[in-house]
Amino acid sequence: MKTYQPRLLQEDLYSIPIDAFFKSAFSVDCVIFGYHEAELKVLLIQRGTEPFENYWALPGDLVYPNEDLDSAALRILNDLTSLTNIPIQQVKTFGKVDRHPLGRVITIAYLALVEPTDLAPHASSWASDTRWHPIDDIPQLAFDHREILEVSLEELRSRILHEDLWSKVLPAKFSLTQFQELFETILGKTFDKGNFRKKVVKFKFLQKLEEAQRGVSHRPSLLYSFDAKRYQEMKANGFSFEF
Amino acid sequence: MKTYQPRLLQEDLYSIPIDAFFKSAFSVDCVIFGYHEAELKVLLIQRGTEPFENYWALPGDLVYPNEDLDSAALRILNDLTSLTNIPIQQVKTFGKVDRHPLGRVITIAYLALVEPTDLAPHASSWASDTRWHPIDDIPQLAFDHREILEVSLEELRSRILHEDLWSKVLPAKFSLTQFQELFETILGKTFDKGNFRKKVVKFKFLQKLEEAQRGVSHRPSLLYSFDAKRYQEMKANGFSFEF
DNA sequence: TCAAAAGTGTTATAGGTACACCCATGT
DNA sequence: ACATGGGTGTACCTATAACACTTTTGA
């Protein structure tokens, strides 16, 4: 039987002994953040099987042999939330030797930001529960999922400034206060109202509408919509928020 | 024989049929950038075996079963350059189904920035040649290595602003002009001399030394050293360059 | 004394920060 | 009329950009 000679036949599958190098697998884990009305949550499943039975965990799955990594992440997202057409982003690959008790499994973490919709009914055999957890009240997690979640949260904070992830969790018509709340919640900061508005209105991708809020017991706020095309143009020229 | 029921036994190795899910492997590819005197290069090897025999490629290798991903990347870096103690950073994982002609192989790309030292003698069987290539004169590459290189270059440009990668490729004592050249080369921009210096001197981690350049036929420049401790303090408070 | 690159200074403009204040609505 | 949050204006200060200028060296 052939043995693997490091560096001799690099990346040549035929020279690798099954029993040494193929005791490994790769999975995708999804960190699905949900934002709604100044609350940031994350979607966790409760595991129905060993290892880590009954622990909460990030939803994840092995990648099918004929499936791209991105597709696998989208599949998981879609299975759980029925959402399609959501942009997902690779965060990082976690591959510590001992991260999985049953063997060598590396996992590629993906990130999405969605509105916390009602959850699709799930097969009870694969997860005993599925639930949105507030980001500052996370139970003990299986595997290294705590670390994956923390890294992903940092990544979310960074990406929200460089991409229009946020546009998926705002209503079609929104007030500048809602817009500010979103960034305050996710970044964990607060901003001066006047200065925030000045900064944000300069960027021409927030379109002021004729319409206003109704039925509130204070001055109604004017509504804005997001001009995605303009945003993309500006992004192409290097635009990003600097909050 | 057990078959894999999607979602039923998530991440449970024992339920996965070898012949369906284990025809895969993962490797690490290193994008080793070299910077010296206003020149940015990348270290490529020429493949000595099929597939893509004789093509230039990023140095990479399969990850050993008992080896962490980071360790694998460091091993490759060390084998080629004899450098140790170099910070490496994960860039992204590339996993298109058809990216490798011989089977399902995903690869985790790593990035490093080093001084282009003399190369360690290499086993001729694993690579027929090893060479630094100027970043704007890259030959056709094997696999999807062109894409990996491009993504990694973008990542380098971004990281150089947020981390002190650059400190590894400057001499212990350097002039502000050298410092400026480095950022100009890597970012592909030019900066006004006076403004650049003003901006950079404000940050207290460049220590002006008593010493000056010698033997140049113009006014000798004052030399600076890098105060890594101070930099780390500032980084902890959220510092990054904004060039 | 000249070329070359180091290093400093000046000015106009833009942008950020910290406020105070006014406005429109429902109760 | 008042509480509530929406929305605007101002004054100060700092950062930036463009550019001209002075300084030090070797040849």
Side-chain angles (χ1 to χ4, degrees), chain B residues 171-204:
Chain B
K173 303 170 180 180
F174 54 87
S175 69
L176 291 186
T177 302
Q178 284 178 301
F179 192 74
Q180 180 174 349
E181 262 177 355
L182 192 161
F183 283 92
E184 288 185 336
T185 303
I186 292 182
L187 298 176
K189 299 180 186 176
T190 56
F191 304 108
D192 178 90
K193 185 176 35 141
N195 297 333
F196 184 89
R197 298 165 94 90
K198 257 175 283 180
K199 181 180 283 187
V200 130
V201 165
K202 275 203 320 270
F203 311 135
K204 305 296 191 188

Side-chain angles (χ1 to χ4, degrees), chain B residues 5 43 48 73 105 158 206 214:
Chain B
Q5 301 169 16
L43 188 56
V105 182
S158 160
L206 297 187
R214 283 178 47 197

Side-chain angles (χ1 to χ4, degrees), chain A residues 175-180 191-203 206 221-222 224 243:
Chain A
S175 68
L176 291 185
T177 302
Q178 284 177 301
F179 192 73
Q180 180 174 349
F191 304 108
D192 178 90
K193 187 177 30 143
N195 296 335
F196 184 89
R197 299 165 93 89
K198 256 176 286 179
K199 182 179 284 188
V200 130
V201 166
K202 274 203 321 270
F203 311 134
L206 296 186
S221 51
L222 297 175
Y224 289 74
F243 292 145

Side-chain angles (χ1 to χ4, degrees), chain A residues 4-238:
Chain A
Y4 180 69
Q5 301 170 15
R7 294 302 169 65
L8 180 58
L9 294 169
Q10 184 225 2
E11 294 190 271
D12 181 348
L13 284 183
Y14 296 134
S15 66
I16 308 156
I18 290 288
D19 60 350
F21 278 80
F22 271 36
K23 277 189 181 133
S24 64
F26 50 89
S27 64
V28 159
D29 281 315
C30 287
V31 186
I32 303 170
F33 291 106
Y35 175 85
H36 186 66
E37 289 182 359
E39 274 213 295
L40 185 61
K41 305 189 170 184
V42 66
L43 187 56
L44 301 177
I45 60 119
Q46 193 169 31
R47 289 176 60 86
T49 58
E50 290 293 343
F52 290 102
E53 185 164 4
N54 296 327
Y55 278 66
W56 290 94
L58 297 171
D61 197 12
L62 290 163
V63 181
Y64 296 165
N66 62 343
E67 186 180 42
D68 284 339
L69 301 177
D70 295 2
S71 311
L74 283 171
R75 171 168 58 82
I76 291 163
L77 175 63
N78 177 249
D79 280 0
L80 286 168
T81 64
S82 304
L83 291 169
T84 55
N85 233 338
I86 294 291
I88 52 158
Q89 327 216 354
Q90 202 187 103
V91 175
K92 193 182 161 184
T93 296
F94 295 81
K96 283 224 174 66
V97 169
D98 59 357
R99 65 173 292 282
H100 198 298
L102 299 182
R104 186 74 198 271
V105 182
I106 68 171
T107 194
I108 298 117
Y110 275 81
L111 173 166
L113 181 62
V114 305
E115 278 197 290
T117 50
D118 294 337
L119 299 171
H122 56 273
S124 63
S125 57
W126 109 270
S128 58
D129 202 355
T130 309
R131 208 178 285 270
W132 291 104
H133 290 253
I135 201 65
D136 47 13
D137 184 20
I138 301 293
Q140 194 179 6
L141 298 183
F143 307 104
D144 52 357
H145 286 188
R146 176 98 213 174
E147 183 192 356
I148 295 178
L149 175 56
E150 277 166 17
V151 171
S152 298
L153 179 56
E154 274 314 304
E155 196 66 19
L156 170 66
R157 288 182 172 144
S158 160
R159 298 247 173 119
I160 200 85
L161 302 176
H162 296 85
E163 333 230 349
D164 59 351
L165 288 183
W166 46 266
S167 67
K168 302 291 177 188
V169 296
L170 284 176
K173 302 170 181 181
F174 54 87
S175 68
L176 291 185
T177 302
Q178 284 177 301
F179 192 73
Q180 180 174 349
E181 262 177 355
L182 192 161
F183 283 92
E184 289 186 335
T185 302
I186 292 182
L187 298 176
K189 301 180 186 177
T190 57
F191 304 108
D192 178 90
K193 187 177 30 143
N195 296 335
F196 184 89
R197 299 165 93 89
K198 256 176 286 179
K199 182 179 284 188
V200 130
V201 166
K202 274 203 321 270
F203 311 134
K204 306 296 191 188
F205 54 76
L206 296 186
Q207 288 261 327
K208 186 187 266 180
L209 304 176
E210 296 304 313
E211 212 170 329
Q213 234 180 358
R214 284 178 46 198
V216 288
S217 76
H218 55 76
R219 178 170 174 177
S221 51
L222 297 175
L223 297 179
Y224 289 74
S225 69
F226 172 51
D227 185 341
K229 201 169 136 231
R230 253 200 110 79
Y231 178 88
Q232 291 306 331
E233 285 170 23
M234 295 183 60
K235 184 161 170 259
N237 292 331

